[in-house]
Amino acid sequence: MKLPKQVKIKEVGPRDGLQNEKQPILTADKIAWIDSLSESGLSYLEVSSFVNPKWIPQLADASEVLKGIKRNKNITYAALVPNLKGLDRALEADVDEISVFMSASEGHNRNNINKSIQETYPVLAEVVKEAKMAGKTVRGYVSTVIACPYDGKVAPTQVREVADHLFSMGVNELSLGETIGVGVPSQVESLLEELLGHFEVDRLAMHFHDTRGTALANVVKSLEMGITAFDSSLGGLGGCPYAKGASGNVATEDLIYLLHEMGINTGINSDKLMKSALMIEEKLGKPLKSRQLEILRAEGRERIS
Ligand code: HMG
Ligand code: MG
């Protein structure tokens, strides 16, 4: 098996993780958590989203969070933006990277952003154009790359079509969202075979939710196919509120255990990362689902020291 020596982890817990938590988290607690993540060797943090706060009340404080955190110049601080109104707020808060998002399936796209796929393209094209004019890099997300909670199976060609539009708009990188965590390695292989025939491998990232415990197997398949960027969420936090039953992203600490044991470097310090995981677990007041946290609990080492 030919594997990369280095992989980039993009921590999405403060956005994808918290957006799915009902219990409000204090802005000061979010800031303290993000600051601790900034100390762990991560080089990319998706810290919030500038969506309609009525849709995602947990992240209504995106501007305050961005303004309150200590910026490390070696870290990219990104946020989701759905439209020009969100872009104005994100630029005002001086986000480093803008992430636009849409789905490969009509059902999820409509439920998540209240538009058809065709109606979404011009909205995102304008966001990408304006963001680039403001000197920002732009990341694109395509959700439901394997299946949709409303429409069922999604064909790789459907994903390629949306990816094509997003790359034509000028996104720098595209993250492929396995939103509901149903995918298995053979499906990831079919998806990537289709996409790698059209797009450069180093412009694609994988974003696996782990609802059925298949995320790490899907990561290994993606590594074999040359992917070197993965999104993950500390403690396995997360889910999409508009994809019922979907659980969190693959846990960052479980992902880096796998990568480091396979001899793949991430630049992340596992001990510091576990302290951050314990910190957000304490704020949420409930045990989180990662294997590494379960091991700490089993060994009686779950107190932050
Ligand atoms: P809409 O209601 O159709 O928007 O929502 P609208 O343009 O008709 O505006 C309605 C109201 O919202 C107006 O206010 C706007 O000003 C306001 P009013 O005049 O009624 O007082 N508004 C905003 N306010 C603040 N910031 C904004 C904004 N936009 C409108 N940016 C919209 C359309 C897209 C905004 C809405 O559907 C929305 O916010 N959706 C976001 C849903 C979301 O955040 N989902 C989770 C993230 S995606 C995800 O998790 C998947 C991913 O992880 C990958 C994967 O796992 O697959 C990325
Ligand atoms: Mg997600």
Side-chain angles (χ1 to χ4, degrees):
M1 196 173 15
K2 196 175 165 291
L3 293 172
K5 292 209 163 28
Q6 178 86 29
V7 151
K8 181 142 183 158
I9 305 285
K10 304 202 164 183
E11 171 62 44
V12 296
R15 192 278 304 171
D16 204 337
L18 296 188
Q19 77 180 9
N20 215 34
E21 293 297 326
K22 295 266 172 306
Q23 175 205 331
I25 307 289
L26 294 175
T27 305
D29 288 344
K30 292 177 189 170
I31 292 171
W33 182 41
I34 294 165
D35 284 347
S36 91
L37 287 167
S38 290
E39 301 279 309
S40 67
L42 280 157
S43 56
Y44 191 102
L45 294 171
E46 192 175 80
V47 290
S48 195
S49 70
F50 291 91
V51 298
N52 184 344
K54 289 198 183 119
W55 285 55
I56 309 282
Q58 178 72 268
L59 303 182
D61 59 358
S63 303
E64 291 74 27
V65 168
L66 258 303
K67 283 175 188 164
I69 56 176
K70 286 189 208 96
R71 303 278 185 107
N72 175 328
K73 63 174 176 14
N74 300 316
I75 299 177
T76 303
Y77 296 91
L80 287 195
V81 166
N83 52 21
L84 284 179
K85 176 148 195 179
L87 182 66
D88 284 346
R89 295 171 57 211
L91 293 178
E92 209 269 317
D94 198 22
V95 167
D96 296 328
E97 180 162 279
I98 303 293
S99 294
V100 296
F101 59 102
M102 64 181 295
S103 315
S105 57
E106 285 293 344
H108 187 259
N109 203 68
R110 208 171 264 290
N111 277 276
N112 197 38
I113 52 178
N114 209 18
K115 281 174 200 65
S116 69
I117 289 177
Q118 286 304 327
E119 286 163 351
T120 306
Y121 290 137
V123 176
L124 298 193
E126 252 199 301
V127 173
V128 176
K129 188 174 129 219
E130 297 281 328
K132 295 220 141 183
M133 272 163 53
K136 304 293 176 185
T137 52
V138 183
R139 180 174 219 231
Y141 275 104
V142 187
S143 287
T144 60
V145 295
I146 289 191
C148 168
Y150 306 95
D151 306 347
K153 287 251 154 64
V154 173
T157 46
Q158 249 173 285
V159 181
R160 198 238 303 149
E161 198 180 313
V162 174
D164 223 351
H165 275 90
L166 287 166
F167 276 126
S168 306
M169 289 174 201
V171 302
N172 302 85
E173 179 188 62
L174 196 69
S175 176
L176 302 170
E178 212 281 84
T179 318
I180 52 175
V182 291
V184 297
S186 53
Q187 293 163 334
V188 171
E189 187 170 22
S190 305
L191 172 70
L192 284 177
E193 271 170 359
E194 174 67 31
L195 295 184
L196 293 174
H198 294 83
F199 311 113
E200 289 163 39
V201 69
D202 56 6
R203 295 184 74 188
L204 296 176
M206 303 307 286
H207 178 109
F208 292 115
H209 284 261
D210 199 26
T211 317
R212 288 164 183 77
T214 55
L216 286 179
N218 291 337
V219 166
V220 174
K221 173 52 73 185
S222 310
L223 286 169
E224 278 174 31
M225 297 188 74
I227 299 285
T228 56
F230 294 91
D231 301 350
S232 61
S233 174
L234 203 60
L237 274 170
C240 178
Y242 301 98
K244 260 207 164 54
S247 70
N249 297 80
V250 64
T252 309
E253 57 273 43
D254 294 346
L255 175 59
I256 67 164
Y257 174 81
L258 176 98
L259 295 171
H260 291 180
E261 288 296 310
M262 288 173 90
I264 300 170
N265 188 26
T266 64
I268 298 169
N269 178 312
S270 312
D271 292 338
K272 289 186 177 169
L273 196 72
M274 289 315 286
K275 283 194 181 157
S276 285
L278 291 171
M279 181 193 252
I280 192 62
E281 185 171 61
E282 192 185 293
K283 303 286 182 216
L284 287 164
K286 62 175 187 189
L288 299 182
K289 281 196 214 143
S290 83
R291 298 295 169 106
Q292 298 305 313
L293 279 171
E294 275 170 24
I295 292 165
L296 281 194
R297 278 194 285 274
E299 293 174 351
R301 292 194 288 129
E302 70 274 29
R303 290 241 155 71
I304 308 172
S305 54

